[in-house]
Amino acid sequence: MWTVIIITLLLPSNAGSTGASGAGERPDTCNGAPELCERRLNEVAFPGTHNSMSAAEEPGWLFANQRRSIESQLDDGIRLFLLDPHWGVPTAGNRVRTDLEAEGVSRNRVAKALGPEAVRTAERLAGRVGAGSLSGPRQVWLCHSLCELGATKMSAALDLYRAWLDEHPGEILILMLEPSVPAWAVELQFKRAGLLDRVARLRRDKPLPTLGTLLERGRQLVVLGERETGDLPWYLEAFDFIQDTPLGPRATRSCARSRGDDDSPIFMLNHWVDDFPPRPSANARVNSKEEILARAERCERRRKLPVALIAVDHYDLGGVVAAANELNDRPQAQ
């Protein structure tokens, strides 16, 4: 008896958590519908957000890609989250400095990606980007290229996902990471959040599992990384599994394959206006349910694959969730 009490006290509250569903239980519904339980992961449409953490209603975020927070996105039906982990160091004034040296990135490279206006804004707030020595604990933050323009601690976001999944045992989320930190740092974040045993281990040489099978095993998360995933069995090489559409001037129209292989099983639409800063009005024009459905159906005919992942900016100004629901309501082709 006393041994059990001591062990319980030494364990963190979320260690070894398997979620509210628990392995072995077959859910009644999967992502909101009983019929989705019998569909494979690449046969279900997941509505998603690009730079999900970059939310205008959250303190400190500039040039935001979304208006609403991750918590609101979950409640609104978003099930795919594109996140960018970076090394950052907190400073006075509730700002976070990007540790470019630790990431192996130069100021010039960031300026080329974001443009001079964004870099000037970051430097006005926090000092010259990449200059000087940073003091304080280096931590993993979710940022869009520069943490000076907005940062959410990755551990806080993962705690939020865990709590939400506890309350929604019949739901599966997909997290797609564009990391500027190594695989071991990502693994540590998931381990501390008590999420490792909820992440699916998928094999590229096997058919993808159904949603029902994943949930029966207690696997409510799929985690993919665009690079530096190491040899971790749960941290999947994104473009081994995904083939996506291009970014750039035709980002919301093209059906061409950009990244991934011809036989990568999961088809993803990058459906945001690829400008910086992100413009709500421009994205509102392409984010309607009708616009997304028309593109999805056109690309499905051309690519001979069902659309599974749809990522947008300013999701609340359009109909990505409604479009995904309509795609999921269609009977499956035999």
Side-chain angles (χ1 to χ4, degrees):
M1 174 180 175
W2 288 107
T3 302
V4 172
I5 293 174
I6 293 171
I7 290 173
T8 302
L9 290 173
L10 290 175
L11 283 172
S13 61
N14 55 16
S17 170
T18 56
S21 58
E25 290 186 20
R26 186 76 175 181
D28 295 327
T29 64
C30 300
N31 282 31
E35 60 270 19
L36 299 186
C37 294
E38 305 308 318
R39 295 187 190 176
R40 299 189 184 277
L41 191 67
N42 60 328
E43 298 170 338
V44 176
F46 286 76
T49 50
H50 166 238
N51 285 333
S52 310
M53 67 286 168
S54 175
E57 71 178 22
E58 292 286 280
W61 277 97
L62 305 175
F63 307 118
N65 295 84
Q66 312 298 332
R67 181 174 67 88
R68 309 198 71 194
S69 67
I70 287 176
E71 185 174 15
S72 296
Q73 292 174 39
L74 285 164
D75 292 340
D76 289 345
I78 297 298
R79 297 295 177 262
L80 163 69
F81 297 83
L82 277 57
L83 306 169
D84 296 2
H86 284 264
W87 286 123
V89 177
T91 64
N94 295 320
R95 287 288 167 187
V96 178
R97 297 292 304 275
T98 317
D99 194 337
L100 295 182
E101 183 177 356
E103 296 183 0
V105 176
S106 70
R107 178 187 182 279
N108 288 340
R109 181 175 163 187
V110 173
K112 184 177 180 181
L114 289 181
E117 178 188 356
V119 175
R120 282 196 297 268
T121 299
E123 293 181 334
R124 189 170 65 250
L125 292 169
R128 185 168 174 79
V129 169
S133 59
L134 299 178
S135 60
R138 188 177 68 186
Q139 301 165 326
V140 181
W141 296 78
L142 301 178
C143 316
H144 179 41
S145 297
L146 283 177
C147 297
E148 288 84 348
L149 298 175
T152 297
K153 192 175 285 189
M154 188 171 183
S155 60
L158 293 183
D159 286 346
L160 180 64
Y161 287 126
R162 188 192 68 247
W164 191 88
L165 289 170
D166 282 344
E167 296 177 0
H168 300 82
E171 297 286 336
I172 290 175
L173 305 178
I174 298 178
L175 308 184
M176 186 170 173
L177 309 184
E178 185 181 351
S180 295
V181 302
W184 65 261
V186 173
E187 182 176 43
L188 188 58
Q189 294 292 308
F190 279 85
K191 184 176 182 180
R192 285 176 171 168
L195 284 171
L196 280 182
D197 56 2
R198 298 200 202 187
V199 184
R201 276 73 165 163
L202 305 180
R203 289 183 52 177
R204 185 62 179 81
D205 59 343
K206 300 285 185 182
L208 293 175
T210 65
L211 299 198
T213 297
L214 286 173
L215 290 173
E216 193 172 15
R217 295 172 182 168
R219 307 293 183 175
Q220 290 181 276
L221 277 175
V222 175
V223 180
L224 305 111
E226 293 191 18
R227 55 179 176 260
E228 295 188 44
T229 56
D231 296 320
L232 303 176
W234 60 270
Y235 191 18
L236 308 174
E237 288 280 352
F239 299 108
D240 285 350
F241 289 87
I242 290 172
Q243 51 178 292
D244 71 348
T245 55
L247 300 176
R250 291 177 51 81
T252 61
R253 299 190 296 276
S254 175
C255 294
R257 178 168 58 87
S258 176
R259 298 168 292 185
D261 300 319
D262 278 333
D263 61 347
S264 297
I266 302 174
F267 184 20
M268 177 174 178
L269 295 185
N270 295 316
H271 195 81
W272 64 86
V273 177
D274 193 26
D275 285 338
F276 191 87
R279 292 178 292 143
S281 58
N283 280 282
R285 287 195 292 271
V286 300
N287 273 1
S288 71
K289 182 184 79 168
E290 293 73 21
E291 185 88 12
I292 293 171
L293 282 174
R295 185 184 182 203
E297 291 166 357
R298 183 175 71 253
C299 291
E300 286 179 338
R301 289 193 298 270
R302 176 172 171 181
R303 300 282 290 277
K304 310 300 182 188
L305 278 174
V307 167
L309 310 180
I310 311 169
V312 302
D313 277 351
H314 297 288
Y315 80 96
D316 60 305
L317 300 179
V320 65
V321 174
N325 288 340
E326 189 157 325
L327 290 171
N328 287 331
D329 285 343
R330 299 177 306 182
Q332 276 195 292
Q334 299 298 318

